[in-house]
């Protein structure tokens, strides 16, 4: 795609431009928001949560060096919305970005993406994504969640010549760092990043700022023809704050053989780099998506292994144990919605299914509207707002082709936004209390055999089943919403697939009244975390391995897809709770479209997670996560025709999974603590007969017919909340 780059002039924004070009995108313009200038022509150094202000005098030279136009505007607004999730605010500095990007889009209407150099900052990323979404553009953020040490090595290896123009951290001095080339002080920065020091080697904490004077995509290098002026803000002998005011800059043309203009040229780069041990080595700073997939099994296994080792190390350092057990304290919830949902614990409930029907496939909007309308009417009667929903589970009756999935996403977005807008209108005073409200997570699958005896529809009809996991408890709703921890990434990156719909990757629901076994006299804060369904997309391409044509056979593509989907789950889990990861599984559901895909996904999970978190030698034993925490299902179809999709809930305990080997009928008893029911849908299963409605007369949890289970003899699986006695 053609993209415009947000640039500060520093190493990160320039390196991300190079990443974009290496992935086949085309740079067409630069955008810079700079501080106002003084009467002497020098720029002010201002405090901004969003924009680097030092070095702005070099941006025009960088534009000329790249031979692309520059759109530059002075900043006159300041931060007004200081929350992590940005809400449009007319007087906020973010609206300056919206204004200038709107201008760029009006003059270059074929741009589709915006590049930025955010690495770890949710604050910056959410704001860039907010603006790009409003303008119909995609955010390109290839540095997001990169390993800092590895990223710094790649920046140096890519031939980026940057100097440090601002310091503001303990250990960084004017004499030893200010004005020095980044490549000359890399080893010192690495040393300062290890205990007892705590410097971020890439300066993500504001420890230092850089300006880029040359790199392979520059047609000219920027020369300093005189010594820059040093401006001291703080003379603290241990942690001074100082920056350079650049003057007398000029461009020097480079020979063509030193300029990289194509993806192929960048991908072939391999330069010398100094690591933390002062040793020279060579590494390619840019890698194609398919090169990244080479050895995906070993890479994912090692990544999970290393992260789990760090979890164990953390537990040892704090004197705890990775085998912690938690019990929900015996505090009775004063509210109940047993007539419409089943409790999971601590005010979290899962509703029964709400069905929408349309007689034609091209009327997906009608079916979606029907399902949402039914759910909304019921929840409104209980005074439950959509902001209390943390996950939607969606089951469609037709295969999720691109057209079907796109049509459903449009209808889903419209209905959810309409519901949210209605709450704003009906409860304007209440809405002022909602601050950081994340969009609900979502799991979407296809099962072309809905429970017809419940919804009474023809086989040709298009049906949608909608169920919600929500909070309904005693505490103040606004306080509860503001205490949520979530993740909503819309940027294309190396990390994991971007969300292209109105749903978060994960939402952590705070649980009060959790008591640890090894601390019986005090209660600890813990979380239920709900994760959106993850499929094995290649993040940079937003495509499944089988779609790319790169793999010669189905098994190689399935292998890559299975490991990718598991790696995505791991990375999102790590972001949400890096000190627990796979140690606190409440429930996992693995959906697959055939037996071989389900078997391979189970094998991947067992190798990468079970064998590293549990002291087991037998395959799929009773204590193995594969049997204890995960339900293995075969369904008709998955989003984008994926072979495997994972759904995870982590929390303070483990759900109880019970398999049944006899056909359900109207005499079967569903335990009162059951909140999910899966049953095999075939002609031999009596649950598909007229007595289904009798069986479900008093059941108000989630229900799903499936093609089959991992064990072919299983006819049904029920998921229940463990009692205190069962969990001990």
């Amino acid at each position: 795609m053609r993209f415009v780059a947000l640039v500060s002039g520093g190493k990160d924004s320039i390196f991300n431009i190079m990443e974009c070009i290496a992935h086949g995108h085309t740079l067409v313009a630069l955008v810079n928001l700079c501080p106002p200038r003084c009467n002497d022509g020098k720029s002010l150094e201002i405090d901004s949560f969003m924009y680097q202000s030092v070095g702005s005098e070099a941006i025009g030279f960088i534009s000329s060096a790249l031979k692309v136009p520059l759109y530059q505007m002075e900043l006159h607004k300041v931060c007004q919305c200081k929350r992590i999730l940005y809400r449009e605010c007319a007087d906020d500095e973010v609206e300056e970005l919206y204004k200038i990007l709107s201008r760029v889009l009006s003059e270059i209407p074929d741009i589709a993406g915006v590049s930025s150099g955010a690495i770890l900052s949710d604050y910056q990323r959410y704001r860039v994504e907010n603006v790009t979404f409003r303008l119909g553009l995609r955010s390109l953020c290839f540095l997001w969640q990169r390993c800092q040490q590895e990223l710094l090595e790649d920046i140096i290896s890519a031939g980026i010549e940057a100097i440090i123009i601002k310091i503001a951290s303990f250990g960084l001095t004017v004499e030893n760092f200010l004005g020095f080339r980044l490549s000359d002080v890399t080893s010192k920065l690495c040393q300062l990043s290890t205990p007892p020091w705590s410097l971020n080697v890439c300066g993500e904490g504001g420890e230092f700022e850089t300006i880029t004077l040359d790199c392979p995509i520059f047609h000219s290098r920027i020369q300093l023809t005189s010594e820059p002026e040093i401006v001291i803000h703080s003379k603290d002998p241990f942690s001074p704050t100082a920056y350079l005011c650049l003057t007398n800059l000029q461009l020097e043309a480079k020979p063509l053989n030193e300029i990289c203009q194509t993806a192929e040229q960048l991908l072939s780069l391999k330069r010398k780099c100094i690591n933390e041990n002062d040793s020279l080595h060579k590494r390619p700073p840019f890698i194609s998506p398919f090169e990244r997939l080479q050895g995906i099994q070993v890479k994912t296994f090692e990544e999970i292994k290393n992260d789990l080792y760090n979890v164990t190390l953390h537990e040892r350092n704090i004197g705890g144990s990775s085998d912690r057990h938690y019990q929900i304290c015996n505090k009775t919830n004063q509210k109940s919605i047993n007539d419409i949902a089943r409790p999971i614990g601590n005010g979290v409930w899962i509703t029964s299914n709400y069905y929408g029907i349309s007689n034609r496939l091209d009327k997906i909007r009608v079916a979606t509207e029907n399902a949402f309308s039914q759910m909304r009417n019921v929840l409104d009667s209980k005074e439950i707002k959509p902001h209390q929903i943390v996950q939607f589970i969606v089951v469609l009756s037709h295969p999720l082709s691109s057209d079907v999935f796109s049509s459903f996403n449009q209808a889903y977005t419209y209905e959810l936004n309409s519901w949210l807008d209605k709450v704003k209108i009906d409860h304007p005073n209440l809405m002022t209390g909602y601050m950081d409200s994340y969009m609900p997570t979502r799991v979407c699958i296809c099962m072309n055999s809905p429970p017809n005896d419940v919804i009474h529809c023809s086989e040709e009809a298009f049906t949608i089943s909608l169920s919600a996991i929500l909070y309904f408890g005693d505490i103040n709703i606004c306080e509860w919403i503001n205490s949520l921890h979530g993740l909503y990434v819309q940027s294309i990156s190396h990390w994991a697939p971007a969300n292209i719909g109105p749903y978060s990757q994960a939402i952590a629901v705070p649980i009060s009244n959790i008591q640890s076994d090894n601390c019986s006299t005090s209660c600890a804060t813990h979380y239920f975390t709900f994760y959106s369904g993850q499929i094995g997309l290649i993040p940079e391409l937003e495509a499944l391995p089988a779609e790319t044509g790169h793999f010669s056979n189905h098994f190689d593509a399935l292998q890559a897809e299975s490991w990718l989907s598991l790696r995505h789950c791991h990375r999102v889990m790590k972001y949400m709770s890096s000190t627990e990861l796979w140690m606190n599984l409440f429930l996992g559901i693995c959906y697959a479209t055939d037996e071989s895909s389900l078997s391979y996904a189970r094998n991947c999970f067992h190798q990468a997670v079970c064998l590293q978190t549990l002291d087991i030698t037998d395959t799929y034993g009773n204590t193995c996560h594969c049997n204890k925490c995960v339900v293995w299902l075969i369904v008709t179809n998955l989003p984008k025709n994926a072979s495997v999709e994972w759904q995870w809930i982590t929390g303070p305990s483990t759900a109880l999974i019970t398999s049944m080997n006899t056909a359900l009928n109207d005499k079967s008893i569903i335990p009162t603590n059951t909140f999910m029911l899966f049953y095999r849908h075939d002609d031999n299963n009596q649950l598909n007969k007229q007595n289904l409605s009798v069986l479900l007369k008093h059941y108000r949890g989630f229900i799903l017919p499936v093609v089959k289970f991992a064990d072919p003899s299983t006819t049904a699986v029920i998921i229940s909340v463990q009692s205190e006695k069962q969990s001990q």
Side-chain angles (χ1 to χ4, degrees), residues 149-312:
Q149 175 67 45
E150 182 184 277
L151 176 59
L152 181 60
E153 290 182 11
D154 283 350
I155 288 172
I156 303 301
S157 178
I160 289 181
E161 295 184 16
I163 61 171
I164 295 178
I165 58 168
K166 182 180 179 180
I167 55 171
S169 176
F170 184 77
L172 302 184
T173 61
V174 172
E175 297 78 16
N176 295 324
F177 287 92
L178 193 63
F180 282 68
R181 292 185 181 275
L182 189 63
S183 57
D184 293 335
V185 295
T186 298
S187 59
K188 293 180 181 179
L189 292 173
C190 291
Q191 291 169 9
L192 289 172
S193 70
T194 58
W197 314 94
S198 59
L199 180 110
N200 184 293
V201 293
C202 285
E204 269 294 278
E207 295 91 341
F208 64 91
E209 306 280 5
T210 61
I211 197 74
T212 304
L213 301 179
D214 191 21
C215 74
I217 60 174
F218 281 12
H219 292 258
S220 304
R221 59 176 55 89
I222 302 171
Q223 297 280 14
L224 298 174
T225 59
S226 63
E227 288 295 321
E229 177 188 351
I230 298 176
V231 180
I232 305 292
H233 264 191
S234 168
K235 295 183 179 181
D236 187 306
F238 299 103
S239 182
T241 300
Y243 67 92
L244 298 180
C245 183
L246 304 177
T247 57
N248 298 324
L249 301 176
Q250 69 177 27
L251 293 175
E252 178 186 299
K254 294 162 57 176
L256 285 176
N257 62 356
E258 293 184 14
I259 304 170
C260 293
Q261 302 183 64
T262 66
E264 291 74 17
Q265 289 174 317
L266 288 177
L267 290 171
S268 65
L269 280 178
K270 186 175 290 188
R271 296 170 180 261
K272 291 181 179 180
C273 177
I274 301 176
N275 65 15
E276 68 272 21
N277 298 317
D278 291 333
S279 60
L280 288 174
H281 69 104
K282 288 186 176 182
R283 60 175 294 136
F286 305 106
I287 305 173
S288 72
F290 297 117
E291 287 178 299
R292 289 181 183 275
L293 285 179
Q294 292 178 5
I296 181 67
Q297 175 177 353
V298 174
K299 291 176 182 177
T300 303
F301 182 88
E302 288 299 319
E303 181 176 334
I304 295 176
K305 177 182 178 181
N306 291 336
D307 288 338
L308 286 171
Y309 173 78
N310 291 332
V311 170
T312 304

Side-chain angles (χ1 to χ4, degrees), residues 428-690:
N429 295 329
L430 179 63
M431 288 310 301
T432 59
Y434 291 127
M435 297 173 67
D436 290 350
S437 181
Y438 291 90
M439 299 297 278
T441 57
R442 192 179 79 181
V443 178
C444 189
I445 62 172
C446 165
M447 189 62 205
N448 62 9
S449 299
N452 296 337
D453 296 299
V454 174
I455 60 176
H456 304 291
C457 65
S458 66
E459 293 184 0
E460 293 77 19
F462 183 87
T463 63
I464 291 178
S465 164
L466 195 65
S467 181
I469 298 177
L470 54 84
Y471 173 78
F472 188 82
D474 291 325
I475 69 171
N476 179 275
I477 297 300
C478 293
E479 291 179 3
W480 177 83
I481 289 174
N482 292 334
S483 66
L484 295 178
H485 171 45
L487 177 65
Y488 182 36
V489 180
Q490 295 175 283
S491 298
I492 297 174
S493 69
H494 297 305
W495 177 68
N499 271 1
I500 58 174
Y503 54 91
S504 302
Q505 272 97 341
I507 294 180
V509 177
I511 302 175
S512 58
N513 307 315
I514 295 294
Q515 196 170 64
S516 174
D517 286 353
N518 57 12
C519 186
S520 59
T521 59
S522 63
C523 288
T525 301
H526 209 65
Y527 292 88
F528 265 129
T529 305
F530 300 89
Y531 296 87
S532 285
Q534 284 287 353
I535 60 176
L537 293 173
I538 302 172
E540 302 88 346
L541 304 178
E542 299 186 297
L544 292 166
E547 294 180 286
T548 64
H550 177 77
F551 297 90
S552 58
N553 59 70
H554 170 73
F555 180 77
D556 288 344
L558 174 62
Q559 181 184 45
E561 181 186 340
S562 299
W563 283 104
L564 275 171
S565 62
L566 188 61
R567 190 188 73 180
H568 300 335
C569 294
H570 174 76
R571 289 182 173 180
V572 177
M573 277 190 188
K574 180 181 177 181
Y575 175 93
M576 295 301 293
S577 180
S578 61
T579 59
E580 290 184 319
L581 287 175
W582 300 97
M583 302 295 191
N584 62 337
L585 296 181
F586 177 78
L587 176 65
I589 303 175
C590 182
Y591 305 95
T593 54
D594 55 62
E595 293 181 43
S596 61
S597 299
L598 189 67
S599 176
Y600 194 80
R602 185 168 184 165
N603 185 50
C604 292
F605 177 76
H606 187 72
Q607 289 182 52
V609 178
C610 297
L611 295 181
Q612 297 190 74
T613 58
L614 302 170
D615 183 19
I616 57 176
T617 55
D618 60 316
T619 302
Y620 311 147
N622 291 331
T623 60
C624 178
H625 286 324
C626 293
N627 286 332
K628 187 178 180 182
C629 304
V630 185
V631 183
W632 307 91
L633 309 174
I634 295 178
V635 294
T636 306
N637 193 246
L638 295 170
K640 294 183 177 290
N641 290 318
S643 298
V644 175
E645 179 177 4
W646 290 98
Q647 176 185 359
W648 293 104
I649 303 174
T650 58
S653 60
T654 302
L656 180 63
I657 300 174
T658 305
S659 298
M660 303 182 66
N661 297 323
T662 57
L664 292 175
N665 55 56
D666 58 348
K667 300 296 190 299
S668 300
I669 298 175
I670 302 176
T672 56
N673 59 344
T674 298
F675 60 89
M676 279 185 162
L677 169 63
F678 304 96
Y679 69 93
R680 194 177 69 213
H681 181 90
D682 57 41
D683 293 336
N684 297 322
N685 192 340
Q686 296 180 33
L687 190 58
N688 295 319
K689 307 302 180 182
Q690 293 294 329

